[in-house]
Amino acid sequence: MKKNTVIIRLMVFALILVVVNMISSKLYFRLDFTEDQRYTLSKATDDILTNLDDVITVKAYFSEDLPTQLISNRQDFEDLLLEYENRSEGNIVYEFISPNEDETLEAEAQQSGIQPIIINVSEKDQVQQLKAYMGAVLMMGDKKEIIPVVQPGVDMEYGLTTSIKKLSVTDKPKVALLQGHGEPSLQEVAQLAQQLSVLYEVETIDLSEKTEVPSYVRTLAIINPSDTISSVEFSRIDDFMSKGGAVFVAYSNMNGDLQQGYLSKGDDIGLEGWLRNKNVNLGSQFVVDAQSGSVSVQQNNGVFTYRSQLKFPYFPMISDFPEHPTTNGLETLMLPFVSAINYTGNDTTVNYSPLMLTSEMSGLAPTPSGLDIQKRWNENDFREGTQTLAVALEGSLVGNQDSKLVVIANGQFIINGNPPQQISEDNVNFASNAIDWLSDDTGLIDLRTKGITNRPLETVEDGAREMLKYGNVIVPILLVFIYAFIRRQQYMSKKQQWMEGNF
């Protein structure tokens, strides 16, 4: 081959590489084979980026010398920002800054609200502490949002998108939490309030001091009241719904006392009757489910005392969620001490949707009764079939104006309490999704529940379990023997051919 021909071919090859590189930088894409599509932007993110009408600048403060386990975090965030830039058609611009290289940049990061995190690094048999930055500041005009630490995985997209949403929303709708009847304060539902604050202004309202629910309120939330709600207040709630207002109710009419070991029906505070007028009936028996959570029990064995976990069917573990915007992506919720919900309406102008179902092995326990934590449960206790624990209604519930109502037969599941305790993300996600649906704003539902948070093991029969157990041991050994047998047969066949002179 002539020298000139070789040079020309190398130049053409280099030109092709340059063109491909230029095109790939404009047509960025990646394949996502994960079950929960964690590397694919959700519809919520796509909608938010498409509707941006101003430029958002992202300053990503990331240290250059991150330890190995965190290097991918920086690359993932850069890939995500590149995708955001492309989807927003230039309304997202970003830059990466390494604060460790310059004291001025480090001071700038800290003044912006990005604090360093201290990481222990093992090097040459010595543990050293590394000061690392992994935060970002988003700016739109004179508004600013801070991500103090960019979390890896699915939380990265949620954190970035919610920050963009906060910057781009100019007038947040209002959500009001009813007060005055023993309901938790905003601080006692801290996780829910924090999540709702992305899209809404959350405030409290005492209807005994108001003549009506203000028209600017999009959704009224009634969470775990314990004292009587007056008929005047209910009439104000009905008036609110007759004008299109939506109501979220999380309430249990049952009392389960683990300390006293006693089960009873709760006092009548008027809420059951108000729901009955909407054809939503709360049962008078406890729902028990073979698929349940556990309680910690102290047990004695001779002179030894220890604590163990016992299945407790009064704590149904919900994993069956009918298809509905409020239940997208949910894995499991536990609702302690609940009754079933029965909808008896037949009005064709009202759409009814069950939202939470117990397992087929469910039963009903009468009240009042004592509570035996160590009771030995059997199949006869779970013969009532699937029970409904949450419902959604949409239509002419009061008057002729369409409104919405969500009812959950438990009010404790979203309360952090005082002092606050962390509750399951799915509990908060469900309540937030329900309020989004009630408020006609489903923007972040898909993103909020993206990713698997808690996937319980599937229940299998004893026979299937034994077969899987021994199969895992025997099948690999059989495969090895089969492979060895085939190889030996091939070897013997070749040897026979050689002996016969067929090379």
Side-chain angles (χ1 to χ4, degrees):
M1 186 179 296
K2 294 181 179 179
K3 185 177 178 182
N4 288 342
T5 304
V6 173
I7 294 174
I8 291 173
R9 288 185 178 182
L10 286 175
M11 291 178 64
V12 170
F13 181 70
L15 184 62
I16 291 173
L17 285 179
V18 171
V19 171
V20 169
N21 190 46
M22 291 175 64
I23 294 175
S24 64
S25 68
K26 298 295 181 184
L27 301 176
Y28 173 83
F29 75 97
R30 54 183 169 180
L31 300 176
D32 185 358
F33 296 106
T34 57
E35 182 183 356
D36 53 356
Q37 295 294 289
R38 64 179 53 196
Y39 298 111
T40 302
L41 293 188
S42 68
K43 183 177 181 303
T45 296
D46 203 28
D47 290 344
I48 290 169
L49 294 176
T50 304
N51 294 323
L52 277 179
D53 54 7
D54 203 349
V55 175
I56 292 179
T57 302
V58 182
K59 281 189 175 181
Y61 292 96
F62 267 74
S63 300
E64 290 282 359
D65 52 348
L66 289 172
T68 309
Q69 66 270 26
L70 294 176
I71 289 178
S72 62
N73 199 31
R74 175 194 166 99
Q75 186 60 52
D76 288 345
F77 192 54
E78 189 167 358
D79 290 343
L80 192 64
L81 285 170
L82 176 60
E83 204 160 348
Y84 274 48
E85 183 185 56
N86 293 334
R87 295 289 183 92
S88 67
E89 298 182 348
N91 277 329
I92 299 289
V93 295
Y94 66 90
E95 63 174 326
F96 272 78
I97 299 170
S98 178
N100 301 71
E101 296 176 355
D102 189 300
E103 290 184 359
T104 306
L105 293 175
E106 188 168 7
E108 177 187 301
Q110 295 184 12
Q111 287 171 3
S112 299
I114 309 297
Q115 299 301 322
I117 54 177
I118 305 300
I119 302 170
N120 290 327
V121 181
S122 297
E123 189 173 337
K124 297 180 180 178
D125 297 330
Q126 291 185 340
V127 178
Q128 298 179 341
Q129 289 193 324
L130 172 68
K131 189 166 65 172
Y133 290 86
M134 293 193 303
V137 179
L138 291 78
M139 291 170 287
M140 179 187 228
D142 58 353
K143 294 193 291 186
K144 184 169 73 173
E145 278 293 326
I146 300 164
I147 304 176
V149 178
V150 175
Q151 300 292 338
V154 175
D155 289 339
M156 188 181 288
E157 183 188 348
Y158 181 73
L160 186 56
T161 299
T162 51
S163 295
I164 293 171
K165 181 74 175 177
K166 285 180 183 178
L167 286 175
S168 59
V169 171
T170 54
D171 187 18
K172 292 183 179 179
K174 308 287 193 303
V175 170
L177 268 60
L178 186 66
Q179 300 284 282
H181 319 90
E183 297 91 345
S185 64
L186 271 178
Q187 290 73 28
E188 290 172 309
V189 289
Q191 279 180 260
L192 177 63
Q194 182 181 15
Q195 198 164 89
L196 290 177
S197 66
V198 176
L199 291 177
Y200 309 97
E201 285 188 18
V202 185
E203 60 184 36
T204 58
I205 183 171
D206 187 340
L207 284 179
S208 65
E209 300 173 351
K210 300 273 187 182
T211 57
E212 63 177 6
V213 180
S215 57
Y216 60 74
V217 172
R218 190 78 67 86
T219 296
L220 175 68
I222 305 174
I223 299 174
N224 205 39
S226 55
D227 297 330
T228 301
I229 302 174
S230 71
S231 57
V232 174
E233 291 171 287
F234 279 125
S235 67
R236 288 167 182 162
I237 297 173
D238 280 338
D239 183 56
F240 172 65
M241 295 185 73
S242 70
K243 297 173 183 174
V247 176
F248 172 87
V249 177
Y251 168 70
S252 175
N253 61 335
M254 313 300 283
N255 279 333
D257 192 328
L258 280 173
Q259 300 298 324
Q260 300 295 324
Y262 191 67
L263 301 171
S264 63
K265 193 168 182 307
D267 296 332
D268 182 9
I269 63 169
L271 194 50
E272 275 190 79
W274 181 79
L275 289 172
R276 202 177 300 121
N277 289 333
K278 312 295 185 282
N279 298 311
V280 177
N281 301 287
L282 300 180
S284 58
Q285 296 177 297
F286 283 93
V287 173
V288 291
D289 192 342
Q291 180 179 295
S292 66
S294 303
V295 292
S296 180
V297 179
Q298 180 172 306
Q299 294 185 317
N300 298 316
N301 186 1
V303 296
F304 298 102
T305 300
Y306 61 94
R307 302 194 73 82
S308 61
Q309 296 293 316
L310 287 182
K311 282 280 189 182
F312 195 57
Y314 289 98
F315 290 1
M317 188 72 80
I318 311 302
S319 59
D320 186 358
F321 301 98
E323 187 173 346
H324 191 271
T326 62
T327 59
N328 285 346
L330 296 177
E331 297 287 342
T332 58
L333 275 88
M334 188 176 73
L335 299 182
F337 295 126
V338 288
S339 63
I341 298 178
N342 182 29
Y343 177 68
T344 56
N346 54 12
D347 188 344
T348 56
T349 65
V350 176
N351 293 322
Y352 158 76
S353 304
L355 301 180
M356 292 187 197
L357 302 175
T358 61
S359 75
E360 292 181 353
M361 289 193 64
S362 297
L364 298 172
T367 57
S369 66
L371 178 59
D372 180 8
I373 294 178
Q374 302 198 34
K375 175 182 176 178
R376 295 182 180 277
W377 298 84
N378 58 56
E379 291 185 0
N380 291 328
D381 295 311
F382 308 109
R383 292 190 175 280
E384 297 295 333
T386 300
Q387 304 292 314
T388 303
L389 301 184
V391 299
L393 303 178
E394 183 178 14
S396 304
L397 300 173
V398 181
N400 297 321
Q401 182 83 20
D402 283 353
S403 60
K404 293 179 179 176
L405 173 66
V406 166
V407 182
I408 304 105
N410 183 279
Q412 289 282 344
F413 80 107
I414 46 174
I415 298 178
N416 296 99
N418 187 18
Q421 295 183 341
Q422 192 77 9
I423 58 176
S424 165
E425 287 294 326
D426 267 350
N427 290 20
V428 183
N429 289 337
F430 171 72
S432 300
N433 289 351
I435 290 175
D436 283 349
W437 179 74
L438 290 166
S439 306
D440 289 324
D441 193 341
T442 57
L444 290 179
I445 285 181
D446 293 338
L447 182 56
R448 186 178 292 131
T449 52
K450 189 176 178 180
I452 297 170
T453 57
N454 179 20
R455 175 155 292 181
L457 294 175
E458 186 177 343
T459 304
V460 296
E461 299 290 337
D462 290 344
R465 188 185 303 119
E466 291 297 312
M467 188 176 72
L468 289 171
K469 185 172 87 174
Y470 290 112
N472 281 334
V473 176
I474 295 173
V475 169
I477 297 174
L478 280 177
L479 290 175
V480 170
F481 276 112
I482 291 171
Y483 176 74
F485 176 76
I486 294 172
R487 291 285 296 171
R488 178 170 175 76
Q489 289 300 110
Q490 291 175 338
Y491 172 75
M492 295 300 292
S493 176
K494 287 182 179 178
K495 184 177 180 182
Q496 184 66 30
Q497 290 177 3
W498 292 339
M499 293 176 66
E500 294 174 354
N502 299 325
F503 301 108

